[in-house]
Amino acid sequence: MNTLLHKLLLLLVVLAPLPLGSNREWSWTLCAFIAAVIALAWAVQSMLRPQQISTSLKPPVIMLFLAVCLWAWLQTVGWVPVGWKHPLWGLNAEVLAQNLPGSISLAAEDSLTAIMRLLSYGLVFFLAFQFGRDRDKALITFKWLAFFGLLYAIYGLIIFWGGYGTLFWFFEEGFKGDVRGTFVNRNSYATYAGLALLCAIAVFNQQNTRRSIAAYSIPEGREVRMVRFILQVWKPLTAILL
């Protein structure tokens, strides 16, 4: 079950950039829903096997994260002190001659959406933290992220070098000037590409690390070591270069 949930989490993470960086209401809501379902499934199966739960993540870290979410939620309610509320609520009440409840936030619905997205990020981090205790799962995670980062980079470079100015079926003249992958915002893609680069470097380092040699074994020649180096690291090296 852990292996299945880990694969589902990986699919969520690597496919999230595909629908325009999941920067639309339907896509970020779907991602949040899937992350919640995976977290619930993990919680149920962990109740049956509590030894699989890692307690290395200290409670103060979780409490600080939840405190941020709580403070964001308090900005959306109308029963906070009047002095805390945004002054524009009072001005609107005077202009409209209505008693508006008001809140700290000017757009409570947007604040609730931001809380939902932040909680989904926290769930993905928590699940990755739990699954990453297993060395093999951690390496698989890095490989998946590096590979899909490479695919998105190839797509972005094809569009850029071809001068198409398109993002899937959308066209805009400004798209011709930058590599954007599947993201509308070039800075968002730069952040994603940087994270994928870190994963590719981790895979490159892991595959290039010298392994222990058994006693009385015959040392390998330079040619054999060079061939092994090329065969093992050409994939992450390609991802790093691109």
Side-chain angles (χ1 to χ4, degrees):
M1 180 60 70
N2 255 348
T3 301
L4 174 61
L5 294 177
H6 178 236
K7 292 295 176 60
L8 291 176
L9 179 66
L10 288 179
L11 284 174
L12 171 63
V13 173
V14 299
L15 294 180
L18 193 57
L20 304 180
S22 289
N23 194 27
R24 296 296 182 270
E25 291 183 1
W26 71 268
S27 53
W28 70 51
T29 304
L30 180 61
C31 288
F33 174 76
I34 295 175
V37 170
I38 296 174
L40 286 174
W42 176 87
V44 170
Q45 68 93 24
S46 295
M47 291 174 61
L48 304 176
R49 296 182 177 180
Q51 68 273 14
Q52 294 183 353
I53 303 176
S54 173
T55 57
S56 300
L57 192 61
K58 301 302 180 182
V61 176
I62 301 177
M63 296 304 297
L64 286 173
F65 175 78
L66 294 178
V68 173
C69 297
L70 177 61
W71 169 238
W73 174 75
L74 283 175
Q75 296 183 50
T76 66
V77 299
W79 44 262
V80 295
V82 178
W84 291 16
K85 297 180 180 180
H86 198 285
L88 283 181
W89 285 108
L91 295 176
N92 288 334
E94 294 177 3
V95 173
L96 299 175
Q98 294 181 1
N99 185 20
L100 300 177
S103 61
I104 299 175
S105 173
L106 272 176
E109 294 82 3
D110 292 342
S111 298
L112 292 173
T113 300
I115 295 172
M116 179 192 71
R117 296 175 64 179
L118 181 61
L119 287 173
S120 65
Y121 301 153
L123 284 178
V124 170
F125 167 79
F126 180 79
L127 292 171
F129 181 86
Q130 295 293 333
F131 294 136
R133 297 170 60 206
D134 183 276
R135 181 176 183 177
D136 294 332
K137 286 186 175 64
L139 181 59
I140 291 174
T141 300
F142 280 114
K143 287 183 177 180
W144 275 52
L145 293 175
F147 176 72
F148 278 86
L150 172 63
L151 293 183
Y152 292 131
I154 291 174
Y155 170 78
L157 289 172
I158 291 175
I159 298 299
F160 175 73
W161 286 332
Y164 300 116
T166 57
L167 181 56
F168 297 127
W169 53 87
F170 302 102
F171 174 82
E172 185 175 327
E173 196 67 28
F175 289 164
K176 295 182 178 180
D178 307 286
V179 178
R180 299 172 184 265
T182 56
F183 292 75
V184 178
N185 188 299
R186 61 181 182 180
N187 295 326
S188 298
Y189 176 66
T191 302
Y192 178 82
L195 294 174
L197 174 62
L198 291 176
C199 294
I201 292 175
V203 175
F204 175 84
N205 180 71
Q206 192 275 339
Q207 296 188 358
N208 193 34
T209 301
R210 183 176 181 180
R211 294 170 173 78
S212 57
I213 302 175
Y216 307 110
S217 61
I218 301 176
E220 296 177 341
R222 183 176 62 181
E223 293 79 8
V224 175
R225 294 197 303 270
M226 183 62 67
V227 170
R228 177 170 296 180
F229 172 82
I230 295 174
L231 292 177
Q232 287 180 346
V233 304
W234 72 268
K235 293 180 180 178
L237 186 60
T238 302
I240 290 173
L241 293 176
L242 285 177

